[in-house]
Amino acid sequence: MDPKTLLKNKSICTLPWSGFELEPNGNVKNCIISKTKLGNINKTNIKDIMHGKENIELKESMLKDGMPFNCSGCHLQEKNRSNLSSISSRLYYLKELGTTIDLNFYDNAENFSLKHIDLRWTNSCNQACVYCDPQYSSKWAKELGVKVKSDVESRQEVRDFVFENIAGLKNVYLAGGEPMLMKQNYDFLKLLKEKNPDCSIRVNTNLSTTGTGIFELLCSFKNVHWTVSVETTEDEYEYVRHHGSWKDFVANLDIIRKLDHKISFNMLHFILNYDSIFECVDYFKSKGFHDNSFVIGPLYEPAYYNLLNLPEHMIDRVKEKLKKKLQENPQGYLKNSYENLLYYFSNTPWEKNISLFFETTKTQDNRRNIDSRKVFTKLYKELDANTLE
């Protein structure tokens, strides 16, 4: 395969040939936004999963430019984009990994060589974000009395596979849960520092804890991209990211800003920050962060938090705000984010169920002994008025 073919094929992603994503429950996917799983390490060895039928059939479809359903999330983000400036995972990894392997390697769907890993070892997390669940948050699991099973022997097999190939890794993504709380990441980063110190590392963190040794190890690498999860500020931040502290978040952000590392903000747009997300972006821009620091997407699940449940006049106002922001000529990923949000909110069929939002949030508030109405007064005032009409 020549470089032009690789770039022109709008279906090919390098990940099925070069990496995987591991979830806390043992599921293995090509990446976090994949629609289907390849297997589960509690049932099948990780090596067999990567050489298995599901992954091979996916690659065969890509080689035929088949636009597989598994990758529809990226295809949506790339819609109407004519270059590589999209924020889609497919294009990100195409740029990061595409030429790290001889291009002829992609001609054969049977081929696989580990160059990328996305490790979410367990659900260990010190926050219980409103849109999250027990699978990705131990705080959520404790709150609901749910146990997420994670087989020790199966995770050891993954660890061995990764450690065997650690010197050849080109890109690492650490997420969770909260990656700063996973002891597996400490052992991994120590060996990576020894065997492959120039490897590119991306870490998705809530930036709330820095005393586990993992943070310090990450700071010692030179090629680190901090992807910081945040959706809004101050009291709204502490409601959305339950158990989180806005003061601690800002202090830790100041620490990593002093490093020569890349920082970006991973943001979700949904009912609770339907308007304040724009203020959040403005806040970070006032701190000196540029447009390419922001990757924003609509929250799809849980459905009751999806912004499309709002009354049409409120959605129309959000769309007008997005159009206004685009008229301000944003650049890079922020521009791409606003375009994708506008397209999603304008073209997605949706059956509204705002009553489920009210019911679920009230139940959650009672369980946590907090009051969303006191935090999101503007939102509830408008929703209540619409209900009375």
Side-chain angles (χ1 to χ4, degrees):
M1 182 181 295
D2 62 77
K4 288 184 178 180
T5 301
L6 186 69
L7 294 175
K8 286 182 178 180
N9 185 312
K10 296 186 180 300
S11 181
I12 282 183
C13 174
T14 60
L15 291 184
W17 279 268
S18 60
F20 66 89
E21 182 246 345
L22 174 67
E23 301 192 336
N25 63 2
N27 283 343
V28 174
K29 301 196 298 185
N30 296 109
C31 74
I32 187 61
I33 63 172
S34 296
K35 298 295 185 182
T36 57
K37 69 177 183 179
L38 301 175
N40 187 292
I41 62 169
N42 299 323
K43 299 178 181 179
T44 310
N45 183 280
I46 182 63
K47 294 180 183 179
D48 293 333
I49 291 175
M50 299 321 300
H51 290 280
K53 176 183 176 182
E54 289 80 3
N55 201 34
I56 289 175
E57 288 181 347
L58 179 68
K59 287 185 274 189
E60 289 174 343
S61 174
M62 288 180 173
L63 288 171
K64 297 174 183 176
D65 211 359
M67 306 287 279
F69 169 74
N70 183 57
C71 306
S72 56
C74 282
H75 299 155
L76 176 63
Q77 290 178 323
E78 296 169 22
K79 196 171 184 67
N80 300 321
R81 306 298 291 181
S82 59
N83 53 42
L84 296 182
S85 66
S86 171
I87 58 176
S88 78
S89 290
R90 186 186 80 89
L91 290 178
Y92 171 83
Y93 289 115
L94 194 63
K95 289 181 280 187
E96 287 287 316
L97 301 169
T99 57
T100 63
I101 302 175
D102 187 305
L103 294 183
N104 293 325
F105 192 80
Y106 299 106
D107 288 336
N108 189 340
E110 300 282 344
N111 288 340
F112 183 84
S113 178
L114 189 64
K115 301 296 179 184
H116 162 78
I117 48 173
D118 178 343
L119 298 174
R120 303 156 195 256
W121 296 104
T122 70
N123 68 340
S124 295
C125 191
N126 54 351
Q127 294 183 352
C129 301
V130 294
Y131 52 75
C132 199
D133 58 47
Q135 178 179 329
Y136 293 104
S137 167
S138 54
K139 283 289 188 182
W140 255 111
K142 183 178 180 180
E143 182 178 317
L144 297 181
V146 174
K147 184 173 179 59
V148 177
K149 294 181 179 180
S150 183
D151 184 76
V152 175
E153 184 176 338
S154 300
R155 280 189 288 144
Q156 182 65 37
E157 289 178 350
V158 175
R159 180 185 184 275
D160 292 343
F161 179 49
V162 169
F163 281 27
E164 287 168 8
N165 293 277
I166 201 166
L169 293 177
K170 298 298 182 182
N171 183 277
V172 168
Y173 188 23
L174 302 179
E178 172 48 50
M180 304 297 174
L181 297 176
M182 298 177 192
K183 60 182 180 179
Q184 296 90 344
N185 285 336
Y186 182 81
D187 295 336
F188 167 73
L189 288 170
K190 281 188 67 176
L191 187 61
L192 188 69
K193 184 71 176 178
E194 176 188 339
K195 301 289 187 181
N196 191 356
D198 294 329
C199 183
S200 173
I201 303 172
R202 188 159 60 115
V203 55
N204 193 326
T205 174
N206 60 35
L207 209 59
S208 62
T209 180
T210 58
T212 62
I214 298 170
F215 179 82
E216 290 77 10
L217 270 170
L218 283 165
C219 291
S220 72
F221 285 85
K222 66 178 183 180
N223 191 4
V224 179
H225 179 183
W226 299 85
T227 304
V228 181
S229 297
V230 60
E231 302 82 10
T232 186
T233 62
E234 299 181 337
D235 57 341
E236 287 193 7
Y237 169 93
E238 294 185 356
Y239 180 91
V240 170
R241 311 195 72 82
H242 188 49
H243 300 295
S245 162
W246 174 249
K247 181 180 178 181
D248 289 347
F249 172 84
V250 172
N252 291 334
L253 181 61
D254 286 341
I255 292 174
I256 64 171
R257 286 196 71 182
K258 296 174 183 176
L259 305 171
D260 188 23
H261 289 169
K262 182 178 180 179
I263 301 173
S264 62
F265 300 101
N266 185 31
M267 311 174 83
L268 291 171
H269 197 185
F270 57 111
I271 287 180
L272 294 179
N273 66 346
Y274 78 106
D275 188 53
S276 62
I277 194 169
F278 302 107
E279 297 170 6
C280 185
V281 170
D282 290 342
Y283 169 81
F284 289 118
K285 288 185 70 173
S286 74
K287 297 296 183 181
F289 289 97
H290 54 75
D291 288 1
N292 233 28
S293 302
F294 302 94
V295 176
I296 313 172
L299 185 141
Y300 306 116
E301 298 287 343
Y304 51 81
Y305 273 129
N306 194 302
L307 189 143
L308 290 172
N309 288 301
L310 291 175
E312 282 305 310
H313 73 277
M314 294 179 71
I315 297 175
D316 287 342
R317 203 159 63 238
V318 170
K319 290 190 289 187
E320 287 304 312
K321 189 72 169 282
L322 286 167
K323 292 175 183 177
K324 182 178 179 181
K325 288 294 183 181
L326 285 168
Q327 289 173 356
E328 295 173 4
N329 196 31
Q331 303 299 306
Y333 290 157
L334 184 58
K335 178 177 185 287
N336 197 188
S337 294
Y338 286 156
E339 288 174 339
N340 288 341
L341 288 169
L342 183 58
Y343 181 87
Y344 178 79
F345 296 140
S346 301
N347 296 280
T348 305
W350 193 261
E351 187 174 337
K352 296 182 184 297
N353 192 351
I354 196 65
S355 61
L356 187 58
F357 162 77
F358 281 123
E359 294 166 11
T360 306
T361 306
K362 184 177 181 179
T363 300
Q364 180 176 267
D365 284 358
N366 291 337
R367 191 172 61 241
R368 296 179 173 182
N369 195 29
I370 51 182
D371 189 352
S372 57
R373 286 182 168 273
K374 291 182 178 179
V375 179
F376 304 94
T377 53
K378 177 182 175 183
L379 168 67
Y380 275 103
K381 183 178 180 180
E382 190 150 11
L383 289 177
D384 290 341
N386 188 77
T387 302
L388 293 173
E389 289 178 359

